[in-house]
Every structure is written in structure tokens, then in C-alpha cells.
Amino acid sequence: MVKKKYTQEQQVIDALRKCGGYATLGDLYRLVDTSSWITKTPNESIRRVVQLSSKIFRIQPGLWALEECRDQVLSKFNIQSAKTQNIEKFTHGYYQGLIINIGNMKHFSTYVPAQDQNRKFLDKPLVDICSSIVLPDFSYHNLTKRASTVDVIWFNERKMPDSFFEVEHTTDIQNSVAKFCDLRDFYSKFYIVAPKSRKEQFLKVMDHSAFKEMKDRIKFRSYETICKEYEAMSMIQNLTDKI
């Protein structure tokens, strides 16, 4: 009897099963044993498998699940229906979680506002992946209070804000830009994270004369860009762990 070949697709599927039927692409890079694969670019092979396999579907950019677990996984994330409110809640928590994880891997102290700490990144509350649940007292009260509502903040080793992130799935980008303008005196980076379809809207907001001073400081990051950075950092982390 000829032994059935253990294909790359089957290895990825088995890794997804071990994760409960879903995983980020960055996690698959770490979990799939590619030591026997005849390729110099195993991560690209994993990416190709999830994109081409009829047994795997995409939930969000960078997040994949098994067709056999579709109902179970979508129910777990409360996105089995097309309710806009549920999808927005899941999406917002997902990208906050990716940004937090990227910051953690870059050795920043990471923070999300108190009202978001019980929001979930996949199956984990954001409070469980943040390195800080209390906002550092880095400035005057009125400024720290304003900063306390920013979706994600990365702090450096001196407890000063390195980067501010606002995730804007459908909400008003102008409100987040105005918030960043209030924090403009900090030597920090400012990012609007949103679907790439909203970049034109972002550019129109930044053309307002009221935001002229911050036009070159506030950057747009698409969801896909955040996912690619998370995957790249996961690859580096995986290599570091093996050393």
C-alpha cells in the first residue's frame, strides 16, 4: 500500500485545526513545521496555500480559518450574521490587537484605553496582551486625559509616547485627526489605521487648513499594511526564538 503524501496544504490545515480552526498568517509561520519543505521561501509557500486552498477561507486580511469550522469560528467571533455593529466591533479589536502585538515585539510598552480593555483580539481580551493597563503619567493632566482615549499607544523606555494609533473602520476620521492635533507637541508618530478604501477620505481631511500643521506628521496605514508588518515581525520573532 502506497503511503499518502503529507502535503503542504494538509500541514497548514492540521496547524489550523490545532488552533481551533483559525489562525493569523503570522502564527502559521511559527506553527507549521516547514523543515522538510523543499523551498527557500517557506513563508511564501504558507501564504500561497491559504490563498489557494478551497478548504481555507479569509476572515480578515491576515486571518484565516478552515471551511469545515466556518460556522463554529464565525459564531465564536459573533460575526456569523451580517450585522454591521458586530463586524465593526470584531474588526476594531482585531486591528488593535495586531498593533499591540507589533508594539510588544518591538519592545515598546503598549496601552489601550480602559473602555477597550475587555474588547477581544481573537479569543483574548486586549488587556491580556497589553504590557500596561494604566496610562503612564507622562504630561499635564489635560493632555494625558486626551491621550487616554487613543486606540493604541506605544511608549518607549522613558515612558514617553512613541506612537499613537487610531483605528477607523467607519467612524469619522476627522475626530481622530483633531485628537492628534491636541497631542502635537509630543515628539511622537501619529497613525490613522483604516481600510485602504478610506485613504482618499483621509487625504481630504488632511487638506483642511485647520490641520495644516500636522499634515506631514499624521500617516495613513491600511489594514493590509498592518497585517504585513505583523507577519514580518512574527517571522523575526520566530527566527529569534530558534537561536
Side-chain angles (χ1 to χ4, degrees), residues 14-27:
D14 286 347
L16 284 165
R17 284 187 182 133
K18 289 178 182 178
C19 293
Y22 65 91
T24 65
L25 194 53
D27 287 338

Side-chain angles (χ1 to χ4, degrees), residues 33-77:
D33 182 4
T34 60
S35 58
S36 63
W37 294 17
I38 305 174
T39 176
K40 294 181 180 179
T41 55
N43 292 333
E44 289 184 15
S45 296
I46 292 173
R47 188 184 306 113
R48 185 164 54 251
V49 167
V50 298
Q51 290 173 344
L52 298 179
S53 175
S54 61
K55 298 178 181 179
I56 300 171
F57 72 98
R58 190 182 81 160
I59 302 175
Q60 287 278 347
L63 179 62
W64 300 86
L66 292 174
E67 280 290 353
E68 66 189 53
C69 301
R70 178 184 284 268
D71 291 343
Q72 172 190 340
V73 171
L74 297 184
S75 177
K76 179 183 181 70
F77 298 144

Side-chain angles (χ1 to χ4, degrees), residues 133-151:
I133 62 173
V134 178
L135 184 72
D137 187 18
F138 61 90
S139 187
Y140 296 110
H141 175 71
N142 64 311
L143 292 175
T144 55
K145 184 177 180 180
R146 186 64 163 149
S148 69
T149 63
V150 174
D151 284 332

Side-chain angles (χ1 to χ4, degrees), residues 71-183:
D71 291 343
Q72 172 190 340
V73 171
L74 297 184
S75 177
K76 179 183 181 70
F77 298 144
N78 197 26
I79 53 174
Q80 69 272 35
S81 68
K83 288 184 178 179
T84 301
Q85 184 178 3
N86 292 349
I87 293 172
E88 288 181 1
K89 183 178 180 181
F90 171 78
T91 302
H92 201 280
Y94 175 65
Y95 286 102
Q96 279 180 290
L98 289 181
I99 295 165
I100 292 165
N101 277 311
I102 294 168
N104 290 340
M105 288 187 280
K106 289 185 173 185
H107 307 293
F108 289 110
S109 175
T110 51
Y111 168 86
V112 291
Q115 66 268 23
D116 289 351
Q117 289 177 3
N118 289 323
R119 180 174 279 166
K120 287 190 174 182
F121 169 64
L122 304 180
D123 61 344
K124 293 182 179 179
L126 296 179
V127 67
D128 288 353
I129 61 175
C130 280
S131 54
S132 177
I133 62 173
V134 178
L135 184 72
D137 187 18
F138 61 90
S139 187
Y140 296 110
H141 175 71
N142 64 311
L143 292 175
T144 55
K145 184 177 180 180
R146 186 64 163 149
S148 69
T149 63
V150 174
D151 284 332
V152 181
I153 309 175
W154 293 351
F155 289 94
N156 61 27
E157 66 277 6
R158 296 177 299 281
K159 303 299 181 185
M160 294 299 292
D162 176 271
S163 302
F164 294 95
F165 299 84
E166 283 279 88
V167 178
E168 296 295 345
H169 190 63
T170 58
T171 44
D172 191 349
I173 289 175
Q174 184 166 315
N175 290 340
S176 291
V177 171
K179 186 186 300 184
F180 286 163
C181 286
D182 290 343
L183 301 167

